[in-house]
Structure formats: structure tokens, C-alpha cells
Amino acid sequence: MRIVHYSTRLGRSAGGLYHSVSGLARAMAGLGAEVIVAGGHENGFADEKQVWGKLPLLTHPLGRSRYGFSLAMQAEMARLKPDILHIHGIWSAGSIHGRFASKETRVIVSPRGMLDPWILARKPWLKRPHATLFERPMLARAHLHALSEHEAATALDYMPALAGRVFTVPNGVEPAPATEPLKRDGALYLGRLHEKKQVLLLIDTWERHAKHMVLTIAGWGDPAYEAEVAARCKNKRRVRFVGALSGEAKARAFSAASFFILPSLSEGLPMAALEALSHGCIPILTEACHLPQLFADDVALRMEPDFSDFSVLLARVEAMGADEKTMRSARARQAARPFFWPDIARSMLDHYARILAEAPR
């Protein structure tokens, strides 16, 4: 089985896909699958491509356009004739490659949150014609991989004809070291700096209501938005901005924080939340993070996306005793176990095998 994973951007500018797609592809290769990764790269990719390990990469420069289409890439994928072409993300060049894939190739599409109503409402004047030309014809023949039951339902709302061709496999995560740090303190936001994550509102609301707990903001994003985040954190008593973190620095940040917070309005299945669980952070999440089992099992603390309950929630967080924190941290680590990459990759490969065994559409 030859598998090609395509993502429009293979560097950190891809946000959560940078870790979710690379983690899945590496784990599949670790199970013996033939895996090739294709997509565009931007300046600085030489320092970012280590996340793909030893996987073979087919790349092309994105240049000024972030749309990502390349005729040379289209020709190369036609030459490869993969059994599975797995498209990660839509509303960009990946949909063209999926739309015009060889009839012998089975196409899998992972919207990765991009069919969420919040996303669909943005630039509908552009998405509607693009969908007519590419997404809908592609999905007419493809199978759709949803990250959650919510995303599966959203996909069927968008295109009911997908019924019978939607399957659900969550994102995965690497196991964190089992040892706990001697001391955890404060809360952490780590991830892409974007308006849908409500980072600016988080900064202002935390500063207004926190009595003693410090919130660390770590992340990257559009330069203008990132600059606004940095400026908003300046001279705050209870909020600090540390910029982008990766590798060991990111692991230390997760291990040092008592709580992880993600006040998002729209997600596929957030990688940072899974990493936080693995490291034993107590998660504070909105329902838009689509991890309802964490609320049902009393692992995560729920917050309203409009911050209407935030003063009460933060008071509870700041008053939480050491014994409860230790218990909740252990519970978070346990909740991460079903998301470890080898099991996720095996599940995905099983779906590929089932799809290949079906009669082509």
C-alpha cells in the first residue's frame, strides 16, 4: 500500500497540522507502511522539516501565494500512482489534487475543522465557487476522515451524499515522560495565535480577574496578530508572552504548568490540548474543542466561549488545593492514553485497507 499524505503547508505556518499530519505519517511508517509526504514549503523550512523525521518529502516553494498549487506537484503525484492519497485540509490546493487524482487512487479527505460552521461563515463568497469547482466533486468520490463525532455530523450536514463514507479517528499525541516535575505552577496557553482562539480576550480577562496565578502565552501566528498579543501582554502583572516554543522548550512549558487553557471558538481536534493531557496539565476548554469525554469523565474544566463564567471559573482554579491538582493531573495523563500515535495510526491503516477492499466509486 503506497500512501501519499498531502498538506498545503508542511512548516509551522500550518498550525496544528504541522504536528498532527507529521505524527500520523511517522507513526504509519513506524508500523511498516510506505509513506510519502507532499506539500509546499516556505522560508525557514530547513529548520522545520525535522518534524517529518526520515519520511520522503515532495515539496515545492509556496512563494508569496499560500494557496499552494503546483503543476509539477500534480504531475509528480500522477507519476507516483498512490493507492491512497490523503488530503489534509481543504479550501486550498489540496482540493485540486484530490479532485483530479487518478481513478485508481482512493482519496481520503481530512477537513481538519475546515467544515466547521465558524469557518464556513468566513469568506463565503470565495468558498462557495471553490466548493463547486473542487471540494464537492472531490468529496463525491472520496472518503472523509473526521476527527470527532461532531466533525462527522458537520460533514454530513454540509454534504449528505457522504453518508456511508465518513469515518472517525482522532488526532494522536506522543507519550510524555512519566516523571512529574517537583513543582507545577500557573496556567499555559500554547498554540497558534489566531482570532478564533480568542487570545486577546483571554489576556484581558485573565489580567482583570486573576488574584495570584500567572498565565503564560506561548505561540506564533500572523505577524500583525502576534505583535498585538505581545503588546497586550506588556506591563501585565498576571500574563506574560514568551513567543513560539518547540521541542524541549515546549515540553518544559507543559510540564511546568498546572493548567492548560484553550478558549477556542472553532477546532478540529486541538493537538495542544492532547499534548497538555499527556504532560499532566489540567485542561480548561470550551465545547468547541470537541473533547466531550473530558467533561463527562471530569478531566477538563468547562468554560463558556463568551467568557461569561470566567470570573467564577478562575476563582475555582486559583483556590484548587494541591491534592486535587495532583489527582486531576494523574487523571489527565490517563485520559491521554487512547490518543497515543501507534494506536491511532493502526486504526487509520485499518480504514485504508477497508476502503481499498471496496469496489471503486
Side-chain angles (χ1 to χ4, degrees), residues 128-347:
R128 288 192 189 109
H130 200 276
T132 299
L133 290 170
F134 304 117
E135 276 78 20
R136 289 187 180 276
M138 173 178 66
L139 292 173
R141 60 170 287 197
H143 288 72
L144 187 138
H145 159 232
L147 293 169
S148 65
E149 294 304 324
H150 170 85
E151 186 169 57
T154 298
L156 289 172
D157 286 343
Y158 179 77
M159 191 169 175
L162 279 165
R165 291 182 286 120
V166 178
F167 64 94
T168 302
V169 177
N171 277 329
V173 68
E174 299 288 348
T179 56
E180 289 281 356
L182 295 177
K183 180 178 174 59
R184 288 183 180 269
D185 192 29
L188 174 69
Y189 170 91
L190 190 150
R192 189 156 64 108
L193 304 176
H194 189 277
E195 61 180 303
K196 75 174 183 177
K197 315 277 189 176
Q198 304 197 97
V199 183
L200 296 174
L201 182 56
L202 174 62
I203 292 166
D204 292 343
T205 311
W206 190 281
E207 179 70 10
R208 184 162 62 251
H209 293 292
K211 303 301 182 184
H212 59 80
M213 185 175 289
V214 173
L215 169 67
T216 298
I217 304 288
W220 67 97
D222 177 82
Y225 192 87
E226 186 172 334
E228 190 171 359
V229 168
R232 196 73 65 92
C233 290
K234 193 174 182 179
N235 298 324
K236 293 286 192 294
R237 296 179 305 114
R238 303 298 181 200
V239 186
R240 63 181 186 134
F241 177 59
V242 298
L245 299 177
S246 60
E248 288 299 319
K250 182 172 74 168
R252 286 195 299 270
F254 278 125
S255 296
S258 295
F259 298 89
F260 170 82
I261 185 166
L262 180 54
S264 190
L265 294 170
S266 173
E267 294 287 337
L269 192 69
M271 289 294 296
L274 299 183
E275 290 180 275
L277 285 177
S278 181
H279 283 275
C281 295
I282 303 165
I284 304 170
L285 307 173
T286 60
E287 288 188 356
C289 294
H290 304 310
L291 287 161
Q293 66 271 39
L294 300 186
F295 300 131
D297 296 338
D298 197 25
V299 174
L301 303 177
R302 186 197 312 267
M303 67 171 288
E304 294 299 322
D306 62 0
F307 285 73
S308 58
D309 63 340
F310 199 73
S311 61
V312 174
L313 175 62
L314 187 52
R316 176 189 176 189
V317 165
E318 291 194 304
M320 191 177 291
D323 288 346
E324 183 178 358
K325 287 181 183 178
T326 299
M327 177 271 292
R328 285 186 171 275
S329 177
R331 193 180 292 171
R333 284 182 176 271
Q334 186 65 29
R337 295 184 65 83
F339 298 100
F340 289 167
W341 273 125
D343 289 340
I344 298 299
R346 171 53 61 196
S347 178

